[in-house]
Amino acid sequence: MKHPENRRVEQYISLLARYRPTLNLISEAAFSAVGTHIRDALAFASLIAEREVLPPTILDVGSGAGFPGVILGLALPEVTVVLVERRRRRGAFLNLVKAQLGLDNLEVRIEDVRSVRDKEFAVITAQAFGSLEAIYQATSHLHAPRIVILSRKGPGWLKELGELASLGLPVQVLAEERLESHGRLVMVRLPGGLSCRP
């Protein structure tokens, strides 16, 4: 994993500060803790980088203001990160960040993830999209034969594993670590691919 250049991280923070109020990107309280959110996003990148082989692409679902997607793009420059955000204003902001920071490895899709059709992913990230089952179901048409999901989870995340198991899916927990801001970063491996596509 490459540690992001301070200059580009500062550019990103500056863009957040400038457009946060007009585009309703993140709350004032969240922006006051932006350093913590960046470190949390780097935790996503670290877990992905620890894999034996980096994936060629990562799907970041519900990218919002860019956590963790933008930071993944900075920390993993050899990986294409596809940011999917259905809200137009936030999608426009992500395109602005991509242009201003020169992040050619970011691809911004302003649409619902269920309408994305032209890619296949082995690694999926989501910070605040919903339960593990919701992430799995919403992205099932995009799965590689085996997938890894990384998501921020609250104290009920073990129940979410049970929901996945109730679908008949064998779930392997690869990592679970405390995040600086709140919650835990959970990394799970599941079967994907054609068997789960509609």
Side-chain angles (χ1 to χ4, degrees):
M1 183 182 89
K2 178 181 177 183
H3 195 78
E5 299 170 41
N6 287 338
R7 176 185 60 82
R8 294 211 286 180
V9 172
E10 287 165 9
Q11 276 183 283
Y12 175 48
I13 294 171
S14 176
L15 289 169
L16 274 173
R18 181 175 176 186
Y19 292 100
R20 179 188 67 79
T22 52
L23 299 181
N24 192 27
L25 296 172
I26 57 175
S27 69
E28 188 173 340
F31 182 72
S32 69
V34 70
T36 301
H37 295 302
I38 288 169
R39 289 188 292 276
D40 283 354
L42 284 170
F44 280 76
S46 292
L47 282 183
I48 293 168
E50 287 168 11
R51 292 166 55 87
E52 290 181 24
V53 179
L54 274 175
T57 55
I58 295 170
L59 173 65
D60 184 53
V61 186
S63 298
F67 298 113
V70 168
I71 302 303
L72 290 175
L74 287 168
L76 304 171
E78 62 273 51
V79 175
T80 298
V81 184
V82 179
L83 286 70
V84 180
E85 172 54 53
R86 65 182 179 182
R87 291 166 288 192
R88 295 204 167 277
R89 287 183 172 195
R90 294 185 185 193
F93 174 74
L94 294 172
N95 272 319
L96 177 70
V97 170
K98 173 184 175 174
Q100 293 286 316
L101 273 60
L103 285 171
D104 294 333
N105 64 324
L106 286 191
E107 179 183 330
V108 179
R109 304 289 289 266
I110 307 174
E111 58 187 309
D112 190 290
V113 69
R114 293 165 187 86
S115 64
V116 176
R117 294 285 168 188
D118 57 341
K119 303 242 181 221
E120 182 180 273
F121 299 92
V123 176
I124 299 164
T125 60
Q127 180 147 279
F129 186 82
S131 70
L132 290 170
E133 181 189 1
I135 297 165
Y136 185 88
Q137 297 279 26
T139 61
S140 64
H141 60 293
L142 300 169
H143 290 171
R146 291 178 66 78
I147 63 163
V148 170
I149 296 175
L150 294 89
S151 185
R152 178 201 300 274
K153 294 284 127 204
W157 72 273
L158 287 171
K159 181 182 175 186
E160 295 184 25
L161 291 183
E163 292 169 351
L164 285 171
S166 73
L167 297 175
L169 297 169
V171 184
Q172 180 185 5
V173 178
L174 300 178
E176 179 250 337
E177 61 182 52
R178 184 181 178 87
L179 290 171
E180 188 176 333
S181 60
H182 67 278
R184 309 192 78 76
L185 177 55
V186 175
M187 183 182 199
V188 297
R189 178 181 286 135
L190 301 151
L194 295 175
S195 63
C196 66
R197 292 183 186 182

